[in-house]
Amino acid sequence: MTRKIQVNRVARVEGYGGIQVEIADGRVKDVKMNILEGARFLEGLVGGRRFDEVPDIICRICAICSAVHKLTAIQAMEDALGVQVSERTALLRELLVQGGNIESHALHIYCLALPDFAGVASVIELNSTHPDTVAEGLRIKKLGNQIQETVGGRAIHPENAVIGGFGRLPVADDIKRLRDGMAQGLDDVQALLPFVRGLEMPDYREGSSVYVALRNGDKDFSFYGDRIVCSDGAEYPLSGYKELTNEFVVPHSNAKHSRHNGKPFVVGALARLTLNGDRLGGAARRAIDALGLVLPTTNILYNNHAQVVELVWALERGRDICERLLEMGLEQEKPVEVKARAGVGTGAIEAPRGTLYHQYELDEEGRVVKADVVTPTAQNLSAFEHDMRAMVESNQGDDDATLRLKVEMVVRAYDPCISCSVH
Amino acid sequence: MSVELLKPELARIVRIKPMVEDHHLFQVRFEDAETVESFRHRPGQFVEMSVIGSGEMPISISSSPTRRGILEFCVRRVGRVTNALYRLPQNSLLGLRGPYGNGFPIEEMKGNNLLIVAGGLGMVPLRSLLWYALDNRRDFKEITLMYGCRSPAEMLFRYELETLTVRDDMSCLLTVDDKAGQEWDGNVGVATDLFAGVEFDAANTYAAICGPPIFYKYVIQKLLERGFSKGRILMSLERKMKCGIGKCGHCGIGGAKKLVCIDGPIFTYWDVVDMREVI
Amino acid sequence: MAKPRIGIYGLTGCAGDQLAILNCEDELLDIVNAVDLRSFSMASSSNPEGEIDVAFVEGAVCQQRDLDELKEIRSRSKLLIAIGTCAVWGGVAAARNDIDREKLKEKVYGPSGSFLESLPVKPLGEHVKVDLAISGCPIEKEELINSVASLLRGDLPLLVSFPVCTSCKMHEYECLLVKRGQLCLGPITRAGCEARCPGLNRVCRGCRGPVDEPNAASEVALLKERGFDRRDIINALATFAAPAEKLAEQIVGKEPACQSAQDASQAEKE
Amino acid sequence: MRIIKLKKEHLRDFVGSLSAFGKLYAPQARGEKSFVLKELKDLSNLRLDYRRTILPPKKFFNRPDETILNFSSDNGYQAAADANGGRRVLFGLHACDIKGLEILDWVMRDGYRDEKYFQRRERTAVIGVSCEPDESCFCLAMQADNVETGYDLFLSDVNSCYLVTVRTSLGDDMVNANQELFQEVGKDTIEAFKKKTHAHARKLDDMCDLSVSQMPELIELEYMSDIWKDYAKRCLSCGSCTMVCPTCTCYDIRDEVELDQQRGTRKKRWDSCFFPDYAAVAGGENFRAEAYSRFRYRYLHKQDGFVAKYGRSSCVGCGRCIEICPAKIDLRDVIKSIEGVT
Ligand SMILES: Cc1cc2nc3c(=O)[nH]c(=O)nc-3n(C[C@H](O)[C@H](O)[C@H](O)COP(=O)(O)OP(=O)(O)OC[C@H]3O[C@@H](n4cnc5c(N)ncnc54)[C@H](O)[C@@H]3O)c2cc1C
Ligand code: SF4
Ligand code: SF4
Ligand code: SF4
């Protein structure tokens, strides 16, 4: 007897993807994450474009992670063109990354993931059962957008970030406002901790267990890094990301898959916490305890918890960056002048969903010869399937609807960004 | 008092009378009793009418100043604000400001014959003049109305006008381009056909005309043939308007030599004959 | 009055316009309370669909699946509103419809990607009737909220139709084209963004698509006069609204439309 | 008339003192090569070497985009509080801009007097400063190189000092509040002033070979000319020239309703006769559907219609539209094309 679990369109995720599970005679035969989102071939489309046009185009890969796409592209271009930016610029960029991260994590936790646990269809319904939580969540989400608007010039596709710096720097008053918002955000997020701790987590055996993230120096917990580290002990320089990802095409998905040593691996909040979590202090450390989060875990559903911890961290880190910027002062500075030249450059930043890589090869005129973008969701797709399989195997006794919800919860726990994965 | 010239006053739709398709007559009264008392207009003037929440538009006052208290507007449903107006039920509130525009030069016209020539929706501003003249019958000599529409079903104020055809103190000539299979035993043909068989004392007559752009061309030609001097042909013009008080610029004609909202909407043919972009 | 039935859909795109809706943090709950939300799969797992009054559709048509979905949505929607530059003009994905899809696929996916099905990228209006177009990459929150408020009344929204230069002037931003000689598309781009980019010292790249009557020929000519590389000009025009602005290339390429264009092509020959 | 002298070293002190008479606005740099009139918070930002500001002073009286009314479905329309109604001092306006304001006054007074505009005007002090023309200026041809009224004080640069013409009682108060900064005008200064004035006039004259005396007739005669079509091919209809013109006043009105459908605002925003929908009415009729007819209309209005109505062109020769046109259309060239003198 074959049993089929099918989800035509996974809801509460960005983009268009479906799930197909086939169980034959008690054995899980097939698990597929069908990525149905159309391919835009953006890597192909930027061919021939001048270097300075590329970040604005390529960030359109995804709205939710547009800030980090833009900054990763900028980083890659600066790498190729040998551009060094000021400390102020670097701080503002990190603030922008945090803004994107705060918005994205808040969106995912409060609007996309929590409804599952509360047994409702959406944040709108959640609002009738948990109005305070929703209000807090939307406030934090809005703060994330305010940061992106203030620093990036727009909440989505932040046009202010350019190669060499920023078009126009925010003024001190703006930064003060953000700092105060961050303090409020830290208050708001507290109420979430006991709530999330109390959630009932569907369990399953043997999820994916190789975690990958960037690592920065030897002290920081950061979304930036100088090397790629894997929980199986492997390490790569940023420019060696292809040895990690080994992207390949599978016929049921418009997005490529990645495997490391033939095995799926996981990037994202849970990976970052597993690998670098010991570097966390302050409110984030306390949040781990408050959530009762025990690491390492192979249950990807705890990625939701990890995102909560990172949200706390981002708010705290964001506040510190603001303080630092205010100390430094915010005199206007023009973007560093950039001269076209040939070269290859790599950029890598931790996006909300995991490590994002951009690489560009430029000709002497500074026009793109080759572009490569590897997104976190694409890296995670193999792991999606692995974890869904484990979830189904562990919960075969459930009826179809429950099982369907559980596999969907696995997918949602990854906080997939399907447009990103295809691009 | 508010310094904001563009501020409308509240008025209530007391009655909505569907006339022909997509043309309703709205009977409206100001909310404020004092305004009801103090509001005075001349035939040919218009108001800026606001549908609260949707926007504002210029609409001619279709009732005669001699019938006070309730103002009548005949509005054709054509776009955003008119559509919004049509959604309003009876008894709804509206915004009105005005009256604006010059209106017909009544004082000057008194003692003369009056010829009114209307085409289609052009009857709307002229109705005010018609009833004004009929209510002050002794001020005018002969009164003639010529009104043409495409079909009987499009004739505005048909019932009202048909009652005028039996009056012996005026001559009311109605025509349709095409019976279109509808009940009609009047004239068939374009408005200018009605000139045939009518005698004019052009030197002692004022012609007031209003209709679609093409209408002006033919009617004016007819009037000139009949010896009307350009200064005695009065026409009502329509242009895009936003403010109605001569500031927003949209209704300029002839390089804004004239603004339809304050210099018009009533112009003599002489006023505009040499002006660019008029007809 | 019954609440209008609304559906929010995304074809191929970055989801920026759906996110822009979710970014109305202060208004979101008011909006959804005022409507009967029939579909918004990015935000809800309960999507009863059925007949709807207003469909907001984001993204461009990039594959047969998009087209089928679009037609299906159209068939049960009274009003179909294209939201975002992808839906209205094609967006970034439509920049190079001149490249054969098979070639692009090969370039990005290699030989094993041959299963992928892909169409030249087109805005919605090329395939179905679009009742209203709210452009922007992404749409502007203000314009969205105003539009929804108008629609709730039963009025068609009033959208900005003048060019970015006009906004730029109202904000008194320094003109990057005239004063700094940069390649700005503001003169032919539809405003509504409050000239965001010039305000950030960045040229307008035309992310909201062209105005109703863009004089693209003159824009190209004046940019050439200022010494810009033809390729960069054409690239700029083709960034967000290639299906519309490819025209410019044709106009200028074939017959110089105006004096300065003539001069420019003259100069090129010499 | 009272004319006194202000040494340049006292300028800053004097300007600083003006904030006692209202919020002080003065020309300051914007971007790399532009200037704007904005609130002067730091005296060292004052830039009297400016040629022209991006927007003319009309922006203070006729705002680019403002809420004029608030409405609610049961209470109707209420005038919005005037956020721009306070006392102000505009320091550093050039003669052409002062003339521009005077022309604006005519329009705002004509027919229906725009009270809100005049309240703002009356609460605003205007202090003029003499200027150095650049290649886009042609104020002389437009009779706006000098103004006799329209200001409270006018500062004429005479080498190391300014001659200050006191025109109004308010100007007098401003001077009296700072008596110690001013001196009587000596013979040397008078001589220097004469020389400077003469040189200025010569310079303007040399720069400007434009005459507009027969424009109304010529525009009328050339109404059907291809000149309009030729220029319209280049014109982008970007609206910039009308936005920056000191005397262009067109605006659009729109309503914005809130989500609750109960409340909203009516807003007024600058409009331009270059836009395709400017003269378009319901049902698809457009009185100026062609780009060239819109291009022509601007000249028809400024150089013909306005002359017929007010006896002079509404152009003051400030050169803003010339400087800002991305397509490099120079109003003087258009005029010369019509005059056949190119
Ligand atoms: C002096 C005058 C008197 C008028 N009298 C009447 C009348 O009695 N009955 C009647 O049905 N119509 C009359 N009109 C025309 C009426 O103003 C337009 O039909 C109406 O403005 C259309 O508005 P809308 O929002 O439905 O159309 P849309 O096409 O959506 O127009 C949007 C806006 O543009 C402006 N506009 C559009 N068309 C016109 C126009 N023809 N004239 C002026 N402004 C316009 C208005 O501000 C309008 O709100 C008159 C016009 C003028 C100038
Ligand atoms: S910067 Fe660009 S948008 Fe602004 S006025 Fe100049 S050309 Fe127009
Ligand atoms: S200025 Fe141009 S590119 Fe920037 S947001 Fe506006 S339309 Fe888009
Ligand atoms: S038309 Fe041009 S030069 Fe004349 S006043 Fe206006 S902006 Fe200045």
Side-chain angles (χ1 to χ4, degrees):
Chain A
M1 197 203 76
T2 9
R3 182 176 169 199
K4 281 191 180 155
I5 304 289
Q6 176 131 3
V7 180
N8 290 332
R9 178 169 198 148
V10 184
R12 275 186 281 122
V13 300
E14 188 284 329
Y16 189 3
I19 301 170
Q20 233 177 339
V21 179
E22 222 181 287
I23 308 169
D25 307 320
R27 285 199 48 239
V28 182
K29 246 184 75 189
D30 195 21
V31 177
K32 284 202 189 96
M33 179 76 209
N34 297 323
I35 300 295
L36 307 172
E37 182 83 14
R40 288 166 291 167
F41 308 114
L42 287 167
E43 289 141 310
L45 300 182
V46 296
R49 291 268 180 177
R50 242 189 16 248
F51 63 89
D52 56 337
E53 293 180 280
V54 176
D56 293 345
I57 298 175
I58 211 81
C59 74
R60 261 76 187 185
I61 283 180
C62 172
I64 307 175
C65 354
S66 56
V68 67
H69 268 292
K70 180 160 255 176
L71 290 171
T72 309
I74 288 174
Q75 201 188 58
M77 289 299 179
E78 289 175 351
D79 185 32
L81 299 162
V83 178
Q84 288 293 324
V85 297
S86 71
E87 190 192 346
R88 191 187 281 120
T89 293
L91 280 171
L92 281 166
R93 282 182 181 170
E94 196 190 338
L95 186 56
L96 181 54
V97 168
Q98 298 301 358
N101 187 39
I102 291 168
E103 195 282 328
S104 177
H105 277 7
L107 173 70
H108 180 246
I109 297 165
Y110 289 94
C111 305
L112 308 182
L114 276 191
D116 277 337
F117 296 100
V120 295
S122 67
V123 64
I124 300 146
E125 288 180 32
L126 189 67
N127 185 53
S128 40
T129 53
H130 298 77
D132 293 342
T133 311
V134 170
E136 285 150 10
L138 290 180
R139 206 149 55 215
I140 298 175
K141 183 175 171 304
K142 186 175 169 185
L143 170 68
N145 282 329
Q146 279 168 342
I147 299 172
Q148 297 184 86
E149 276 158 21
T150 309
V151 182
R154 174 155 67 184
I156 300 171
H157 306 317
E159 299 298 359
N160 198 22
V162 296
I163 296 172
F166 284 92
R168 197 188 66 202
L169 261 53
V171 297
D173 281 348
D174 297 333
I175 299 292
K176 280 186 198 143
R177 207 169 314 118
L178 295 183
R179 178 197 58 195
D180 300 345
M182 240 89 65
Q184 162 81 45
L186 277 167
D187 280 349
D188 281 338
V189 77
Q190 291 310 322
L192 186 65
L193 302 175
F195 183 58
V196 172
R197 183 182 191 137
L199 297 179
E200 201 180 309
M201 289 284 122
D203 202 7
Y204 63 101
R205 283 175 284 119
E206 283 177 50
S208 311
S209 56
V210 179
Y211 291 105
V212 180
L214 298 180
R215 184 171 284 166
N216 200 31
D218 44 58
K219 288 198 299 291
D220 287 2
F221 183 91
S222 176
F223 273 27
Y224 285 83
D226 47 34
R227 59 199 187 277
I228 307 164
V229 295
C230 310
S231 60
D232 63 6
E235 244 188 64
Y236 302 95
L238 302 187
S239 57
Y241 73 92
K242 284 185 183 160
E243 285 172 59
L244 165 79
T245 56
N246 305 300
E247 282 202 315
F248 61 99
V249 175
V250 294
H252 63 276
S253 161
N254 287 0
K256 295 173 196 166
H257 278 210
S258 281
R259 281 181 175 234
H260 180 232
N261 294 333
K263 284 212 211 97
F265 62 90
V266 178
V267 294
L270 190 57
R272 292 187 288 251
L273 238 55
T274 307
L275 289 160
N276 300 325
D278 53 347
R279 299 168 164 217
L280 283 172
R285 160 85 17 225
R286 291 194 293 278
I288 297 182
D289 298 339
L291 289 167
L293 180 60
V294 183
L295 297 172
T297 167
T298 60
N299 185 343
I300 192 64
L301 293 175
Y302 286 100
N303 195 46
N304 294 316
H305 297 59
Q307 285 195 342
V308 176
V309 175
E310 281 194 342
L311 188 56
V312 175
W313 168 75
L315 290 162
E316 208 171 32
R317 175 75 190 139
R319 190 194 57 197
D320 295 349
I321 297 173
C322 291
E323 292 292 4
R324 179 83 193 90
L325 282 165
L326 291 169
E327 264 168 49
M328 273 174 114
L330 284 142
E331 300 90 75
Q332 288 295 322
E333 61 178 61
K334 280 196 185 168
V336 179
E337 290 258 5
V338 183
K339 281 222 177 60
R341 71 174 198 201
V344 180
T346 310
I349 303 177
E350 287 291 335
R353 293 155 190 78
T355 328
L356 171 66
Y357 304 99
H358 281 223
Q359 190 175 69
Y360 302 98
E361 185 185 333
L362 305 177
D363 66 14
E364 313 78 68
E365 282 181 57
R367 291 181 192 275
V368 173
V369 179
K370 214 170 147 212
D372 184 45
V373 175
V374 179
T375 63
T377 299
Q379 294 169 68
N380 279 336
L381 283 176
S382 278
F384 276 31
E385 292 181 350
H386 180 93
D387 284 1
M388 285 194 284
R389 179 184 288 270
M391 179 62 98
V392 175
E393 276 169 355
S394 312
N395 295 281
Q396 278 206 51
D398 291 348
D399 60 32
D400 283 6
T402 314
L403 203 49
R404 197 179 302 124
L405 177 67
K406 283 185 179 166
V407 291
E408 276 195 78
M409 281 170 78
V410 168
V411 170
R412 277 196 285 270
Y414 275 100
D415 188 8
C417 194
I418 293 178
S419 298
C420 265
S421 72
V422 184
H423 60 272
Chain B
M1 207 196 75
S2 163
V3 297
E4 186 50 74
L5 278 176
L6 300 171
K7 181 172 129 36
E9 298 298 321
L10 279 182
R12 197 173 290 278
I13 305 178
V14 285
R15 193 151 168 227
I16 301 172
K17 286 192 193 166
M19 299 206 293
V20 308
E21 199 188 347
D22 284 338
H23 291 72
H24 289 181
L25 187 75
F26 295 83
Q27 296 185 326
V28 174
R29 179 204 284 276
F30 280 106
E31 281 289 271
D32 176 40
E34 258 175 55
T35 314
V36 175
E37 269 312 300
S38 61
F39 189 89
R40 296 272 188 287
H41 75 277
R42 299 164 77 85
Q45 283 192 301
F46 66 95
V47 296
E48 282 285 345
M49 176 187 283
S50 288
V51 177
I52 302 172
S54 294
E56 199 176 37
M57 58 185 173
I59 297 293
S60 307
I61 305 171
S62 191
S63 50
S64 162
T66 47
R67 317 281 172 97
R68 298 182 46 79
I70 283 182
L71 298 169
E72 290 182 330
F73 304 99
C74 170
V75 181
R76 171 161 55 165
R77 188 223 287 264
V78 281
R80 196 172 183 274
V81 185
T82 45
N83 262 310
L85 178 67
Y86 270 62
R87 285 197 308 268
L88 294 182
Q90 216 147 279
N91 226 12
S92 302
L93 288 173
L94 283 176
L96 289 188
R97 56 187 177 92
Y100 296 130
N102 53 0
F104 287 98
I106 299 294
E107 302 310 319
E108 189 187 319
M109 293 159 79
K110 280 182 183 168
N112 286 279
N113 300 318
L114 178 61
L115 167 65
I116 295 176
V117 192
L121 190 62
M123 191 60 225
V124 173
L126 295 177
R127 176 174 175 256
S128 176
L129 175 66
L130 175 66
W131 282 107
Y132 175 86
L134 292 176
D135 289 347
N136 295 288
R137 190 63 196 85
R138 276 175 307 174
D139 287 346
F140 296 88
K141 289 196 205 144
E142 281 175 26
I143 297 179
T144 310
L145 168 70
M146 296 180 178
Y147 180 32
C149 285
R150 267 186 300 196
S151 71
E154 289 179 35
M155 183 158 285
L156 295 171
F157 309 105
R158 179 172 167 187
Y159 175 75
E160 180 179 308
L161 298 178
E162 278 175 350
T163 63
L164 295 182
T165 54
V166 298
R167 268 176 87 141
D168 51 13
D169 60 348
M170 73 164 292
S171 126
C172 175
L173 307 170
L174 308 176
T175 183
V176 296
D177 296 357
D178 184 351
K179 281 193 198 181
Q182 294 150 15
E183 191 198 325
W184 181 257
D185 23 75
N187 299 302
V188 176
V190 293
T192 41
D193 293 351
L194 296 173
F195 279 80
V198 183
E199 289 296 316
F200 294 108
D201 171 12
N204 293 305
T205 306
Y206 275 92
I209 68 177
C210 186
I214 185 80
F215 164 96
Y216 287 104
K217 202 172 141 197
Y218 291 111
V219 174
I220 289 170
Q221 196 186 335
K222 270 275 183 282
L223 292 170
L224 294 177
E225 278 169 17
R226 294 299 186 97
F228 274 82
S229 76
K230 297 190 180 77
R232 285 181 168 254
I233 302 175
L234 299 161
M235 43 202 279
S236 177
L237 292 187
E238 192 180 309
R239 282 295 182 281
K240 169 106 151 216
M241 268 177 207
K242 285 293 169 184
C243 71
I245 54 170
K247 305 287 185 250
C248 79
H250 290 84
C251 67
I253 52 175
K257 276 199 190 74
K258 303 273 180 196
L259 294 172
V260 172
C261 68
I262 51 175
D263 301 319
I266 312 300
F267 294 95
T268 69
Y269 182 47
W270 173 249
D271 285 336
V272 296
V273 66
D274 293 325
M275 219 176 268
R276 299 297 185 175
E277 309 180 319
V278 171
I279 308 174
Chain C
M1 204 175 71
K3 290 178 176 178
R5 296 159 300 179
I6 305 281
I8 300 169
Y9 303 93
L11 305 179
T12 299
C14 77
D17 309 294
Q18 296 185 72
L19 183 62
I21 297 174
L22 289 171
N23 279 356
C24 301
E25 288 93 2
D26 294 335
E27 300 85 3
L28 187 64
L29 297 168
D30 288 341
I31 294 178
V32 293
N33 284 333
V35 303
D36 173 6
L37 189 61
R38 288 304 183 96
S39 180
F40 189 4
S41 73
M42 180 165 158
S44 171
S45 48
S46 158
N47 300 305
E49 305 290 351
E51 295 284 305
I52 52 181
D53 296 304
V54 187
F56 291 91
V57 185
E58 168 205 79
V61 174
C62 296
Q63 53 177 351
Q64 188 60 39
R65 196 176 284 117
D66 293 334
L67 185 52
D68 297 343
E69 193 184 351
L70 174 63
K71 287 188 171 154
E72 194 270 333
I73 295 166
R74 175 74 270 190
S75 71
R76 57 190 171 83
S77 310
K78 283 201 193 126
L79 275 185
L80 188 146
I81 302 186
I83 52 170
T85 298
C86 289
V88 179
W89 300 107
V92 287
R96 300 301 303 275
N97 282 337
D98 56 323
I99 309 180
D100 181 54
R101 294 285 108 182
E102 291 303 316
K103 285 217 181 89
L104 263 179
K105 201 193 291 181
E106 167 80 27
K107 189 166 175 193
V108 176
Y109 282 79
S112 46
S114 58
F115 70 91
L116 243 112
E117 118 350 69
S118 172
L119 296 172
V121 181
K122 295 276 168 63
L124 312 186
E126 299 264 329
H127 294 291
V128 298
K129 177 170 173 268
V130 170
D131 300 295
L132 184 80
I134 304 178
S135 71
C137 186
I139 51 171
E140 298 289 331
K141 201 162 155 173
E142 284 282 302
E143 203 166 37
L144 173 80
I145 293 170
N146 284 338
S147 297
V148 171
S150 282
L151 287 165
L152 285 171
R153 282 189 59 78
D155 295 335
L156 274 183
L158 287 172
L159 301 172
V160 167
S161 58
F162 53 76
V164 174
C165 289
T166 291
S167 261
C168 202
K169 291 282 128 13
M170 291 194 204
H171 287 279
E172 269 192 300
Y173 296 142
E174 179 170 63
C175 180
L176 302 171
L177 200 162
V178 168
K179 293 285 184 170
R180 301 194 205 162
Q182 298 175 4
L183 197 165
C184 187
L185 294 185
I188 54 169
T189 301
R190 180 181 300 266
C193 60
E194 300 299 337
R196 170 180 286 107
C197 298
L200 295 167
N201 292 308
R202 298 211 62 201
V203 294
C204 169
R205 290 180 180 265
C207 85
R208 295 176 55 80
V211 287
D212 288 335
E213 295 180 20
N215 190 346
S218 174
E219 171 83 17
V220 172
L222 71 90
L223 290 172
K224 279 180 152 186
E225 254 177 45
R226 285 173 168 82
F228 288 102
D229 185 309
R230 188 188 166 85
R231 210 153 122 209
D232 289 331
I233 298 171
I234 299 303
N235 274 347
L237 285 168
T239 302
F240 290 99
E245 291 176 353
K246 269 264 127 59
L247 272 176
E249 186 180 5
Q250 286 160 16
I251 301 165
V252 179
K254 281 186 192 132
E255 45 161 354
C258 57
Q259 203 52 46
S260 43
Q262 247 154 16
D263 297 345
S265 57
Q266 203 70 40
E268 212 168 50
K269 270 179 228 145
E270 286 157 19
Chain D
M1 194 194 308
R2 184 176 166 207
I3 302 178
I4 44 177
K5 179 172 136 182
L6 175 71
K7 283 198 180 147
K8 280 197 176 159
E9 68 237 43
H10 292 142
L11 179 74
R12 270 205 195 178
D13 287 342
F14 177 57
V15 174
S17 77
L18 292 172
S19 41
F21 295 86
K23 210 184 236 184
L24 178 60
Y25 294 81
Q28 293 162 67
R30 160 83 36 105
E32 293 170 6
K33 296 174 194 149
S34 306
F35 296 90
V36 294
L37 279 169
K38 66 171 179 183
E39 197 184 344
L40 188 66
K41 290 187 174 146
D42 179 347
L43 280 174
S44 63
N45 288 337
L46 176 67
R47 291 289 296 275
L48 285 185
D49 59 336
Y50 84 106
R51 291 293 179 269
R52 56 184 69 75
T53 48
I54 299 177
L55 288 183
K58 74 172 174 186
K59 70 173 181 179
F60 293 107
F61 311 106
N62 202 0
R63 305 282 302 144
D65 194 354
E66 73 172 321
T67 299
I68 50 172
L69 299 168
N70 296 311
F71 60 77
S72 67
S73 46
D74 43 358
N75 248 331
Y77 297 82
Q78 310 298 332
D82 186 359
N84 299 281
R87 293 222 162 269
R88 281 181 299 213
V89 179
L90 305 188
F91 182 85
L93 304 199
H94 291 163
C96 58
D97 278 349
I98 295 173
K99 191 79 194 170
L101 285 178
E102 189 189 339
I103 290 176
L104 219 56
D105 290 349
W106 299 344
V107 177
M108 295 300 162
R109 191 177 292 134
D110 205 15
Y112 294 80
R113 191 179 139 97
D114 187 335
E115 291 302 338
K116 185 148 99 191
Y117 170 89
F118 284 105
Q119 277 192 359
R120 290 174 180 177
R121 278 286 271 146
E122 280 150 20
R123 288 178 191 161
T124 304
V126 171
I127 301 181
V129 171
S130 59
C131 59
E132 272 303 312
D134 71 4
E135 68 286 351
S136 299
C137 294
F138 60 107
C139 53
L140 186 65
M142 303 317 304
Q143 296 149 34
D145 53 322
N146 254 311
V147 279
E148 283 78 44
T149 53
Y151 56 83
D152 298 285
L153 295 173
F154 198 97
L155 277 60
S156 305
D157 185 321
V158 187
N159 309 328
S160 63
C161 66
Y162 291 101
L163 279 196
V164 180
T165 307
V166 183
R167 179 64 62 192
T168 63
S169 160
L170 176 62
D172 192 47
D173 293 347
M174 291 171 167
V175 166
N176 289 342
N178 295 281
Q179 292 229 22
E180 68 289 356
L181 301 177
F182 295 91
Q183 293 163 316
E184 289 308 313
V185 186
K187 195 134 186 68
D188 292 353
T189 314
I190 297 176
E191 286 312 310
F193 177 64
K194 283 183 188 167
K195 267 205 193 105
K196 198 119 190 192
T197 310
H198 187 65
H200 187 71
R202 284 282 296 275
K203 190 166 177 191
L204 286 177
D205 200 37
D206 286 349
M207 277 174 44
C208 178
D209 57 346
L210 195 70
S211 144
V212 293
S213 53
Q214 298 295 312
M215 275 324 276
E217 288 82 355
L218 289 173
I219 287 185
E220 206 66 36
L221 291 168
E222 293 293 356
Y223 187 77
M224 298 307 285
S225 160
D226 281 343
I227 292 171
W228 308 114
K229 292 190 178 152
D230 290 343
Y231 278 106
K233 276 185 194 153
R234 260 169 67 189
C235 172
L236 295 147
S237 301
C238 74
S240 291
C241 56
T242 48
M243 297 298 123
V244 301
C245 180
T247 62
C248 276
T249 50
C250 291
Y251 61 79
D252 187 20
I253 296 176
R254 68 192 191 283
D255 281 6
E256 281 177 6
V257 65
E258 295 194 5
L259 282 166
D260 67 5
Q261 306 297 306
Q262 302 305 308
R263 287 161 301 141
T265 50
R266 178 162 288 172
K267 292 182 169 166
K268 190 171 137 180
R269 175 170 59 202
W270 290 353
D271 199 353
S272 168
C273 55
F274 281 87
F275 301 153
D277 60 357
Y278 180 83
V281 296
E285 176 82 36
N286 190 344
F287 294 97
R288 283 187 288 281
E290 309 278 352
Y292 78 84
S293 65
R294 299 193 291 270
F295 182 87
R296 181 176 62 197
Y297 187 76
R298 179 153 195 263
Y299 292 82
L300 208 59
H301 182 195
K302 294 201 110 68
Q303 307 290 354
D304 177 7
F306 203 88
V307 184
K309 219 161 164 173
Y310 297 100
R312 62 155 291 149
S313 158
S314 63
C315 172
V316 294
C318 72
R320 282 190 178 85
C321 59
I322 298 169
E323 181 180 73
I324 211 61
C325 178
K328 296 187 181 162
I329 294 175
D330 187 328
L331 168 144
R332 294 169 298 192
D333 292 344
V334 179
I335 290 180
K336 285 181 194 162
S337 306
I338 294 164
E339 289 174 339
V341 297
T342 38

